[in-house]
Amino acid sequence: MVQNPIPQKNDDTKTKLGDIYHYYVVLSYCLDLKENETLLVEKYGDISIESADESKNIEVKRHQGEHTLSDRHIDLWKTLRNWVKYHHNMRDFKKMILYTTSSFGEESQLCSWNSVKAYERLRILTEIGLEKKKTEEVFRPIFEAIFNHDLETILTIFEKVEIYTDQTDIVDIEKKIMSNSFFKSVNKGDRKPFIDSLMGHILTIPVEPPHSWEISCEYFESLACEIRNRFTSSSGGLRLPFDIPDTPPDTESFKSRRFVNEIREIKYELKIPSAISNYWRAQQAIFRSSLDNPTFNVDLNEFQRDIKDSLVEFKSTFQDICDELDPGDIVLKSKRLYDKAMEMPVNDYHSIKPNRPYFQRGIIHKVVEERGFSWNVVKK
């Protein structure tokens, strides 16, 4: 009989579930963005929405199972403290929202919060704080940090605060997102992978410089529509440019490139002109295609990684049959490896659709140029 393992001290699964929940809330708010609005993640708190009409700052709190937001619970008090402390960053927000899966307790003094004005909110919190309790190591410093600020600042913040309790947890928020009208054009069976793909792209936004996590309404719509096209049968995908000239204006500048030297090393000089042409055309296509297609660069990185994996497999096959003591056989097998790579089937790849021979061959040379692949079958 298998016994349940003892939980490790570094098992952080529940914390990570909180992060995942946070990202679902981000996606939920993205779906509600209006024209010219921008959503910011982790800049002024968990989520902020910059808008001429509906600017919001949102703190997201998730608890496993049923949970009560008591009158002294730190979720509320720490959030209020941060908003008051950074009040100079909060001026432009019209609403400041505590978004929580918790519920108010039956006797909570906070139940009426959203229906009363700033002075009444001040009275409620002051009354909660005036009661002295035996264990206040956490609560009392937070309470004092809030009320050490001037009254005008406190009231300005309290007036904007709204508490959204009883919010749906991970499974239910995912169902709520899938029921959004935006997903109706996608088959039900494809909605979960569509959302997963969309979420993945959102999470990688801050990876590139300047490492800001900002999502405008226009960017999100472009991204979401681009990904949705992968899950609808009517999609033709991205069409690579057809009007790129066959050769660059100046071929000399390419002759010292690594991908050209690799061809020269295996004594296959007659392939250099076509290699330069394909490499240059692919680079031009990348530049032009990535301008208006947010998912293209992500797909391109995956495509290059998969291409390199295929090249490594091909190379392994030729290494097994090559006589490493025979220079002539090394050159012969290296040439055959090159030819096999150029003959790879040209298949569509996500937004690179329809793929084209010049583009795939150009990507192969790009992998040699940038990712360390060598045509020499014995070169380590």
Side-chain angles (χ1 to χ4, degrees):
M1 182 176 178
V2 179
Q3 295 182 341
N4 290 329
I6 299 172
Q8 290 189 197
K9 290 183 179 180
N10 61 348
D11 184 345
D12 205 26
T13 304
K14 291 183 179 179
T15 301
K16 296 308 177 187
L17 281 174
D19 294 338
I20 293 167
Y21 181 72
H22 176 198
Y23 302 140
Y24 271 114
V25 178
V26 168
L27 178 55
S28 179
Y29 273 101
C30 281
L31 288 164
D32 291 332
L33 285 174
K34 299 174 184 175
E35 187 176 355
N36 297 323
E37 290 185 340
T38 298
L39 185 147
L40 307 123
V41 184
E42 304 290 359
K43 184 171 184 179
Y44 302 113
D46 289 337
I47 303 170
S48 304
I49 296 175
E50 293 181 341
S51 168
D53 303 316
E54 293 290 333
S55 55
K56 303 170 187 174
N57 187 272
I58 304 145
E59 286 297 310
V60 180
K61 303 296 181 184
R62 175 201 177 260
H63 293 275
Q64 188 80 23
E66 294 184 6
H67 185 268
T68 299
L69 186 70
S70 63
D71 287 352
R72 292 191 172 210
H73 198 279
I74 60 171
D75 281 1
L76 172 65
W77 288 89
K78 279 189 174 181
T79 300
L80 291 173
R81 180 195 61 190
N82 291 338
W83 281 335
V84 172
K85 179 179 180 180
Y86 298 108
H87 61 90
H88 50 283
N89 290 335
M90 302 295 133
R91 286 194 201 98
D92 294 332
F93 294 113
K94 296 183 179 179
K95 290 184 179 181
M96 289 146 69
I97 298 168
L98 175 60
Y99 185 107
T100 177
T101 58
S102 302
S103 304
F104 284 131
E106 291 182 4
E107 299 179 2
S108 173
Q109 298 182 61
L110 300 169
C111 289
S112 62
W113 181 276
N114 290 346
S115 61
V116 299
K117 297 296 184 182
Y119 275 102
E120 179 63 13
R121 294 172 179 181
L122 177 68
R123 185 197 65 76
I124 291 170
L125 294 182
T126 303
E127 192 171 294
I128 292 171
L130 286 176
E131 183 184 356
K132 301 286 185 174
K133 296 192 175 184
K134 290 183 179 180
T135 55
E136 293 198 319
E137 293 85 358
V138 176
F139 171 79
R140 186 57 54 184
I142 298 173
F143 177 84
E144 291 175 352
I146 294 171
F147 285 92
N148 279 340
H149 287 79
D150 63 85
L151 184 60
E152 183 180 354
T153 297
I154 295 172
L155 288 171
T156 299
I157 295 298
F158 285 5
E159 183 67 35
K160 297 178 179 182
V161 173
E162 296 183 4
I163 304 174
Y164 293 3
T165 57
D166 302 293
Q167 299 302 308
T168 53
D169 205 359
I170 288 179
V171 173
D172 291 324
I173 196 172
E174 185 182 65
K175 290 178 181 177
K176 179 182 175 183
I177 289 170
M178 283 196 283
S179 67
N180 188 286
S181 60
F182 184 85
F183 299 98
K184 287 185 177 178
S185 61
V186 178
N187 292 330
K188 285 187 177 180
D190 290 330
R191 290 177 189 175
K192 178 68 166 63
F194 176 18
I195 289 171
D196 290 345
S197 181
L198 188 56
M199 186 82 80
H201 283 81
I202 288 174
L203 293 180
T204 60
I205 288 174
V207 172
E208 298 295 329
H211 308 298
S212 58
W213 208 343
E214 299 185 7
I215 309 165
S216 68
C217 174
E218 292 72 24
Y219 174 85
F220 179 77
E221 286 181 352
S222 176
L223 174 69
C225 289
E226 178 72 21
I227 297 174
R228 183 174 61 183
N229 286 343
R230 302 178 188 177
F231 295 91
T232 54
S233 58
S234 60
S235 169
L238 168 69
R239 296 185 67 83
L240 293 168
F242 281 84
D243 56 347
I244 299 173
D246 290 341
T247 55
D250 175 23
T251 60
E252 287 299 317
S253 61
F254 290 88
K255 291 184 178 179
S256 61
R257 292 290 189 92
R258 185 182 189 280
F259 79 92
V260 173
N261 287 331
E262 280 290 333
I263 299 171
R264 194 178 288 120
E265 184 176 316
I266 63 170
K267 305 184 188 308
Y268 222 3
E269 284 84 353
L270 64 90
K271 298 292 184 179
I272 290 176
S274 62
I276 291 174
S277 172
N278 288 328
Y279 178 85
W280 180 76
R281 294 182 74 196
Q283 291 288 76
Q284 293 299 304
I286 291 168
F287 173 73
R288 288 164 59 175
S289 299
S290 62
L291 292 177
D292 300 313
N293 296 277
T295 63
F296 183 82
N297 286 327
V298 176
D299 292 344
L300 182 62
N301 283 331
E302 291 182 3
F303 187 39
Q304 290 181 135
R305 185 170 62 247
D306 288 352
I307 287 286
K308 184 176 181 181
D309 288 345
S310 296
L311 293 176
V312 169
E313 288 298 319
F314 292 162
K315 187 171 181 174
S316 176
T317 301
F318 284 103
Q319 286 174 326
D320 290 341
I321 60 174
C322 178
D323 182 354
E324 295 187 7
L325 300 178
D326 182 352
D329 196 50
I330 293 171
V331 169
L332 177 64
K333 297 301 191 299
S334 298
K335 287 181 176 180
R336 297 294 78 81
L337 169 60
Y338 182 94
D339 291 338
K340 184 174 179 64
M342 295 302 132
E343 294 166 1
M344 284 174 61
V346 180
N347 298 319
D348 295 340
Y349 197 95
H350 297 332
S351 60
I352 303 167
K353 180 180 179 181
N355 195 0
R356 300 185 64 200
Y358 84 81
F359 186 79
Q360 180 160 299
R361 290 168 186 163
I363 293 301
I364 292 171
H365 295 303
K366 190 172 171 65
V367 167
V368 174
E369 180 72 19
E370 300 173 4
R371 303 199 174 203
F373 184 79
S374 173
W375 297 117
N376 189 315
V377 295
V378 296
K379 188 175 181 180
K380 304 300 183 184

